[in-house]
Amino acid sequence: MGLFARERIEPKSTDELLRMRAAGLLVARTLDLLRGEVRAGRTTKDLDIVAEEFIRDNGGTPNFLGYQGFTGTICTSVNDEIVHGIPGPRVLGDGDLLSIDCGAIVDGWHGDAAVSLVVGGAQAARPEDLALVAATEDSLWAGISALRAGQSLYAVGAAVEDSLVSAGGRDGRVYGIVEDYVGHGIGRAMHMDPQVPNYRVSGRGPRVVVGTTVAIEPMVTLGDQDNRVLADDWTVVTLDGSRAAHWEHTVAVTDAGLWVLTALDGGEERLGRGGAAYGPVER
Ligand code: MG
Ligand code: MG
């Protein structure tokens, strides 16, 4: 039995999945907006203000704000910061590697997703940062595509890890996969059972059923996975100072396949590219 094998998965009904899609879509639209707002000279707090206003204007509530005392609507993690960076006066510069994690509640249901990008785009980026961002996003989609009713939830982490090992071989490096933070069940609360390791673990693991909703969120570094929390009690940074990327989606398992609730297109394009079944729920 694995560490988390006793955890329960609470399946969602069709109606509940439709409600979660509303929350997920608002998160997707917020992140899409923020991507266009990122530029050198802006602070991470500037982005946070944009996010909070957009979420509230569109019928949502930020779910990170006030969570265990967190002061942001989004998490902004720059360079060697892996996750949970607090928006503040930090001024972004060209070439910074920024991860934005965003969550919202609509009608009592939660969405949670994260993207990583380089400020100033490819022209301003170090090649290794672009490779890291791409490898991490690809590993997320590999993990999502391994989610299947009747199979172990642990197939997700195995697929994430295999994807990163393969990308590392191609990119000529060994990517660090952070194991101290994991994905999670999500629904009426942001963090629910089961935990979703973003790496290979032994044991059977919980069995995925139709109606399962989980947030999958690989955190990957250019160096080692060892990390520490800064004195602000939130920001997680790499011990070796290497840069890190973080990608996340909230995903539903349906009768027809998968529905990526926090992707603008529901995951249709990326799932199709990877040969996984795109299966949105219809009202
Ligand atoms: Mg998140
Ligand atoms: Mg999450």
Side-chain angles (χ1 to χ4, degrees), residues 64 101-102 112-114 184 217 246 248:
F64 297 179
D101 196 340
C102 179
D112 185 9
H184 48 92
E217 49 179 318
H246 176 215
E248 176 178 24

Side-chain angles (χ1 to χ4, degrees), residues 64 84 101-102 111-114 182-186 190-191 215-217 219 246 248-250:
F64 297 179
H84 303 164
D101 196 340
C102 179
D112 185 9
V182 296
H184 48 92
I186 179 167
M190 180 167 56
H191 293 138
I216 301 169
E217 49 179 318
M219 295 148 230
H246 176 215
E248 176 178 24
H249 272 306
T250 298

Side-chain angles (χ1 to χ4, degrees), residues 22 24 53 59 85 123 133 137 139 206 230:
E53 194 171 281
Q123 282 182 319
V133 167
E137 184 181 16
S139 77
L230 296 184

Side-chain angles (χ1 to χ4, degrees), residues 22-31 34 48 51-56 60-67 70 72-76 100-106 109-115 184 186 189-191 215 246 248 250 262:
L25 201 48
L26 179 53
V27 171
R29 291 171 62 208
T30 307
L31 284 170
L34 290 174
D48 192 70
E52 179 171 5
E53 194 171 281
F54 187 76
I55 289 171
R56 294 196 191 280
T61 311
N63 51 7
F64 297 179
L65 190 62
Y67 181 87
F70 192 76
T73 286
I74 54 176
C75 299
T76 50
I100 306 173
D101 196 340
C102 179
I105 311 167
V106 175
W109 296 91
H110 289 245
D112 185 9
V115 300
H184 48 92
I186 179 167
M190 180 167 56
H191 293 138
H246 176 215
E248 176 178 24
T250 298
T262 48

Side-chain angles (χ1 to χ4, degrees), residues 203-281:
R204 260 186 325 185
R207 197 209 298 231
V208 176
V209 296
V210 170
T212 295
T213 50
V214 287
I216 301 169
E217 49 179 318
M219 295 148 230
V220 185
T221 80
L222 283 172
D224 202 86
Q225 65 141 321
D226 291 340
N227 57 81
R228 68 189 173 94
V229 178
L230 296 184
D232 64 19
D233 278 340
W234 280 104
T235 312
V236 181
V237 299
T238 57
L239 263 192
D240 62 10
S242 63
R243 291 186 171 189
H246 176 215
W247 280 88
E248 176 178 24
H249 272 306
T250 298
V251 187
V253 179
T254 69
D255 278 319
L258 298 170
W259 196 16
V260 184
L261 302 175
T262 48
L264 285 175
D265 73 346
E268 184 170 14
E269 193 267 326
R270 286 296 305 242
L271 291 172
R273 220 199 290 171
Y278 168 62
V281 154

